[in-house]
């Protein structure tokens, strides 16, 4: 589980699915086209009906989940694009099944990335195997790598928003950039 700061509503404990409701979610994962180099994943696509779900399980957007080497967190072993539901669950491209990996059972750092918020990664390797392993970055049970790696709001840990002035544009340098407000807040 993971929650994005931008669409998160502390009153409901859910994220907004306004992008889905407006019909703006792409039918295939957007990360490859943005230059992201998948390993073992990439090219995932959905049927248009996948975005018909409403309520807590409505799709908010695409995310990328990475398994990283337990001995070197900078080495990505395998990636999968998944769908993020309003309640924070990350699911497979059918919109309901668990996200799965083909990597051998073992210990891995796990990272979750989105197009706008800053990524989040586990502080320590997580043991993964044939049995279901749940990792929840939203409630503090999965400690994160780095200092102030997430924004805490009303008891929920959120991925830091990247678009600080809500103008729909991410800008790294220059006047009115999104980087400086994030650095000041962290």
């Amino acid at each position: 589980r993971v929650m994005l700061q931008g669409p998160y509503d502390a009153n409901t404990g859910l994220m907004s699915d306004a992008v889905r409701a407006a019909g703006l979610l792409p039918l295939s994962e957007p990360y490859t086209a943005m230059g992201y180099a998948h390993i073992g994943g990439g090219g995932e696509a959905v049927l248009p009906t996948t975005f018909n779900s409403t309520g807590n399980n409505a799709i908010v957007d695409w995310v990328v989940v990475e398994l990283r080497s337990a001995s070197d967190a900078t080495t990505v072993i395998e990636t999968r694009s998944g769908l993020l539901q309003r309640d924070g669950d990350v699911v497979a491209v059918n919109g309901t099944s668990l996200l799965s990996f083909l990597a051998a059972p073992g210990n891995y750092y796990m990272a979750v990335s989105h197009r706008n918020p800053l990524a989040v990664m586990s502080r320590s390797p997580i043991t993964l195997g044939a049995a279901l392993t749940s990792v929840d970055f939203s409630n503090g049970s999965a400690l994160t790598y780095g200092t102030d790696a997430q924004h805490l709001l009303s008891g929920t840990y959120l991925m830091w928003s990247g678009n600080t002035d809500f103008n729909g544009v991410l800008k790294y340098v220059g006047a009115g950039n999104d980087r400086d407000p994030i650095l000041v807040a962290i």
Side-chain angles (χ1 to χ4, degrees):
R1 281 189 73 191
V2 67
M3 295 288 204
L4 308 177
Q5 182 183 15
Y8 182 73
D9 181 344
N11 294 319
T12 64
L14 300 170
M15 292 176 283
S16 168
D17 63 331
V19 174
R20 178 208 59 84
L24 300 175
L25 290 178
L27 295 178
S28 59
E29 58 86 7
Y31 302 101
T32 300
M34 295 168 57
Y36 179 83
H38 284 278
I39 300 173
E44 291 92 345
V46 300
L47 297 172
T49 55
T50 303
F51 297 145
N52 289 348
S53 291
T54 58
N56 292 359
N57 292 330
I59 304 303
V60 172
D61 205 349
W62 289 89
V63 294
V64 170
V65 180
E66 299 175 334
L67 296 184
R68 295 176 174 218
S69 169
S71 60
D72 180 1
T74 64
T75 301
V76 178
I77 304 295
E78 188 175 355
T79 64
R80 285 286 178 277
S81 290
L83 299 172
L84 180 61
Q85 296 177 336
R86 290 185 68 209
D87 61 5
D89 294 337
V90 177
V91 296
V93 295
N94 67 2
T96 58
S97 296
L98 301 173
L99 195 63
S100 62
F101 292 86
L102 300 174
N107 296 323
Y108 299 93
Y109 285 94
M110 181 176 286
V112 180
S113 298
H114 181 270
R115 291 178 277 180
N116 296 325
L118 304 177
V120 64
M121 183 173 73
S122 60
R123 178 180 294 173
S124 305
I126 297 167
T127 301
L128 301 176
L132 170 66
T133 302
S134 178
V135 179
D136 192 339
F137 288 113
S138 70
N139 68 8
S141 64
L143 300 178
T144 52
Y145 179 83
T147 304
D148 293 322
Q150 292 181 277
H151 176 70
L152 180 60
L153 176 65
S154 302
T156 301
Y157 290 86
L158 312 168
M159 291 173 67
W160 284 103
S161 237
N163 188 6
T164 59
D165 56 11
F166 304 102
N167 65 357
V169 177
L170 291 176
K171 187 175 178 185
Y172 187 73
V173 296
N177 69 64
D178 295 294
R179 178 197 61 178
D180 290 345
I182 292 169
L183 293 175
V184 169
I186 292 173

